[in-house]
Amino acid sequence: MTNEKSISTQHSEHNEWRNKLSFYKDDLKVMHHRIDETAGKNTSKEFEVGLEHYQNQMIIQQEQIDILNHHINLHETELETSVTNNPIASDHRSMHDHAEQREDMAKFEELFASLRKELMGFLSKWM
């Protein structure tokens, strides 16, 4: 199995990932809004402890979005440099695959979905 993929395939994946990360960033805003709505109706210590946990997890997810975007941008710059330095047949040329980034995105999406599900369960308990 080769460790290379076409530049255009990798570029397309980068665009797809950027779009997904933008969606997750917006989803974090929605989750914050739901927390704010629920927090306005609850002042118990148990709720506040749970709330702090989820707020911390959301901060971590925001940081992960920023890290993933940064890595995508770095790799995209590598692709662009390769095309700029040798534009001949760049649409057919391959470069080292970004398999680690693909795994990182999959892990992020799995953890984000889990956080969203847990948070919605927590909030529904307090609504």
Side-chain angles (χ1 to χ4, degrees), residues 21-37:
L21 292 172
S22 178
F23 168 80
Y24 290 124
K25 200 171 200 173
D26 289 343
D27 203 20
L28 281 174
K29 291 176 188 172
V30 170
M31 292 161 62
H32 276 293
H33 181 71
R34 289 194 177 145
I35 284 174
D36 290 344
E37 285 179 336

Side-chain angles (χ1 to χ4, degrees), residues 25-85:
K25 200 171 200 173
D26 289 343
D27 203 20
L28 281 174
K29 291 176 188 172
V30 170
M31 292 161 62
H32 276 293
H33 181 71
R34 289 194 177 145
I35 284 174
D36 290 344
E37 285 179 336
T38 309
K41 301 172 187 173
N42 296 285
T43 57
S44 77
K45 186 69 175 164
E46 182 185 354
F47 175 77
E48 289 178 13
V49 168
L51 178 64
E52 184 176 350
H53 164 75
Y54 288 108
Q55 287 174 324
N56 289 337
Q57 291 302 309
M58 291 168 62
I59 290 168
I60 291 168
Q61 293 307 308
Q62 178 61 57
E63 290 171 351
Q64 289 304 304
I65 289 171
D66 292 343
I67 290 168
L68 289 166
N69 269 319
H70 178 70
H71 289 162
I72 291 166
N73 290 338
L74 288 176
H75 195 251
E76 188 67 18
T77 300
E78 288 178 29
L79 298 178
E80 289 171 1
T81 300
S82 175
V83 170
T84 300
N85 291 342

Side-chain angles (χ1 to χ4, degrees), residues 46-47 50-51 54 117-126:
E46 182 185 354
F47 175 77
L51 178 64
Y54 288 108
K117 182 178 178 182
E118 289 176 24
L119 175 63
M120 292 307 132
F122 171 77
L123 293 177
S124 67
K125 174 181 164 183
W126 293 97

Side-chain angles (χ1 to χ4, degrees), residues 105-123:
M105 274 299 294
K107 286 179 199 172
F108 170 80
E109 289 182 287
E110 184 180 316
L111 291 172
F112 195 95
S114 177
L115 171 63
R116 182 189 305 122
K117 182 178 178 182
E118 289 176 24
L119 175 63
M120 292 307 132
F122 171 77
L123 293 177

